[in-house]
Structures are given as structure tokens and as C-alpha cells.
Amino acid sequence: AGHGLVARCGVLMPFPIRAACVFPGGRRVITSGEDGTSRIWDAVSGEQLLVLHCHRAGALGTAVFPDGCRVLTTGADGDAVVWDVNRGAQLSRLEGHNTPVTGGAVFPDGERVITMGLDGSGRIWDVKSQRTLAPLAGVGKTVVAIFPDGEHVAVASERGRAEIWYGRTGQLVAEIHGHEGAVTAMALFPGGGRLLTTGEDGAAFVFDAKSGQQLTALARHTDAILCGAVSPCGTRLLTGGRDGVARLSDATTGETVATWAA
């Protein structure tokens, strides 16, 4: 099950899973692990459908293209790879980061992707030509999210802030503040009107994506929050923390609906 086992201090332990995404339609999921593979699973039966041996070191991130036929994987080897999941074939290898590539995102047109490096650098790529179209300005960036219109991009930093930019003009649309420490994850609500952010300070907030105004504060985790997601209906928020707790919250009130502890 999972990504196999690794011996650590003489004890067999599962390889950590660093990222997961759901395919359009919800029938398949993909996970990326520190064993260097990304694996596609049947979401109902749990059957493993495909193994992609994608990175010489750990696979750290993954994103699914809107067509559901391609995936982006990012790795500790400093590369990002685009795959045809129907054939299990590599389509593009995007090389240029000098540090591990911790994650990425796909534009709605499926022709461009953004990758983020451990050093806080970011790049926008053309998938077909495998060329860098533009670097993301500044340093210390942690995570990125692309709006459904494909024109706006949210970029967060290790300084606890996020910025929303209009891609065509480079205009800064909104600045978001609220975290003490790095922003660890961002997720857009359906339609792109609101944005969920999580931080290493254990906090999670919902912001208006146009004005940057804070709308909701969720109950804090006792340690850093590592991931966050918005339900397809936009009414529930899921956060997972280093404290071993997963929390489901009401997106409007911020109240906790359910918790699961490791």
C-alpha cells in the first residue's frame, strides 16, 4: 500500500506522501512520495492504476491538468515533469531550478505551468517548448495559486503575506496580511472570489480575493498547518497540521465541524 517502505534507524516506515490531487470527475487520485514516484489510484476501490518513476530524488508536488490526461510532478532533483497518464509517458521535462521544486500549478489553458523552488524562486513555463516564459519576481515565495480565469495569480511568501497579480499587465490587485511566518498553502474557492490561506503559525484564514479583506478566521492548530483545501461546493474547509490533526471547518463561520487526530 502507499509508496512502499524505507528503513530508518533500523525500523521500516512508510515513505512520506508529500502531495495529492484529485482528477476531474473524482474517480482517480494521484499521490507523490519521497520514494521518487507519483502513483495514480482508483478513488473508489483503492487499486493502484499507474506508477510514474518521475524523479531521481523525492517527488514533492503534483498537479492535474484540466483535461485529466496529463499531470505535472515536481521533485527534489530540481526538475518538473509533465506526463501523459494514459500512456504513462513523459511529455516534457522542465529544467532550470537550482534547488528542489516543491510544487507547481497548471493554468486553465493547459499550455503553461508555474513551478516553485525551495529557494523561493518561481518560473512560468511553456509546456510544449519546455522554455521559461518568465520568472516570478522577488524572493522567498512559498506557494502559488492560479485563478479560474487564468489571468490572476496569487503568490504567497515566507513573510506571512500573499499578493494577487493581474498577469497581463503585472498590476498588483490585492495584498493579503495576517500570518506570522510563512504561508504554507493556498486554495481558491469555486469562482475564485475567496482565498483560503494556511500558515506555519497554525492559523488559517479566508480572504476576499479582490480587496484582500479578511472574512473568516478558523480555529488554530497547535503547530504549523501543512495543507488546506476547499470543498467543491465551497462550504467546507479542510486543514491538516504538523500536530497530527485534520480539521473540517465551516467556510462562512470558521467553526470546527469535525476533527481527526493521528
Side-chain angles (χ1 to χ4, degrees):
H3 284 248
L5 301 173
V6 60
R8 291 181 175 172
C9 300
V11 179
L12 285 177
M13 303 179 65
F15 273 106
I17 295 174
R18 296 297 300 266
C21 284
V22 180
F23 280 77
R27 298 185 63 86
R28 294 175 297 166
V29 298
I30 181 170
T31 58
S32 291
E34 290 187 4
D35 62 335
T37 70
S38 292
R39 301 173 186 239
I40 298 175
W41 311 82
D42 186 291
V44 177
S45 68
E47 177 187 0
Q48 182 175 284
L49 304 175
L50 179 66
V51 180
L52 301 172
H53 296 275
C54 43
H55 295 282
R56 295 183 296 275
L60 305 180
T62 188
V64 179
F65 280 70
D67 59 16
C69 298
R70 294 172 293 165
V71 297
L72 171 71
T73 65
T74 63
D77 55 5
D79 294 346
V81 184
V82 178
W83 298 87
D84 180 325
V85 297
N86 294 325
R87 297 186 294 122
Q90 178 180 307
L91 299 176
S92 304
R93 181 170 286 270
L94 311 176
E95 301 174 313
H97 282 277
N98 297 318
T99 61
V101 184
T102 55
V106 180
F107 281 83
D109 61 12
E111 297 178 357
R112 296 166 295 157
V113 300
I114 294 180
T115 57
M116 304 296 295
L118 185 63
D119 60 355
S121 66
R123 292 170 179 258
I124 301 175
W125 304 83
D126 178 83
V127 171
K128 288 184 178 180
S129 68
Q130 305 179 50
R131 296 179 60 184
T132 301
L133 298 176
L136 294 181
V139 295
K141 292 174 289 297
T142 53
V143 289
V144 62
I146 301 171
F147 282 72
D149 63 5
E151 302 289 350
H152 293 81
V153 177
V155 181
S157 77
E158 60 190 13
R159 297 182 179 179
R161 57 185 281 179
E163 298 173 336
I164 299 173
W165 296 84
Y166 182 57
R168 290 189 181 275
T169 63
Q171 177 186 0
L172 179 63
V173 177
E175 292 185 79
I176 290 172
H177 304 271
H179 290 281
E180 300 174 2
V183 177
T184 54
M186 293 190 294
L188 285 159
F189 281 69
R194 290 176 290 168
L195 179 70
L196 169 69
T197 67
T198 69
E200 66 178 12
D201 56 359
F205 303 107
V206 176
F207 294 93
D208 183 289
K210 291 184 178 180
S211 67
Q213 178 184 358
Q214 181 182 309
L215 302 176
T216 309
L218 280 60
R220 283 183 177 256
H221 286 250
T222 59
D223 205 338
I225 300 177
L226 303 178
C227 56
V230 180
S231 68
C233 60
T235 63
R236 293 289 186 266
L237 307 174
L238 181 65
T239 56
R242 191 176 288 143
D243 55 5
V245 173
R247 177 176 285 117
L248 189 67
S249 304
D250 184 284
T252 302
T253 66
E255 295 180 356
T256 300
V257 175
T259 58
W260 301 270

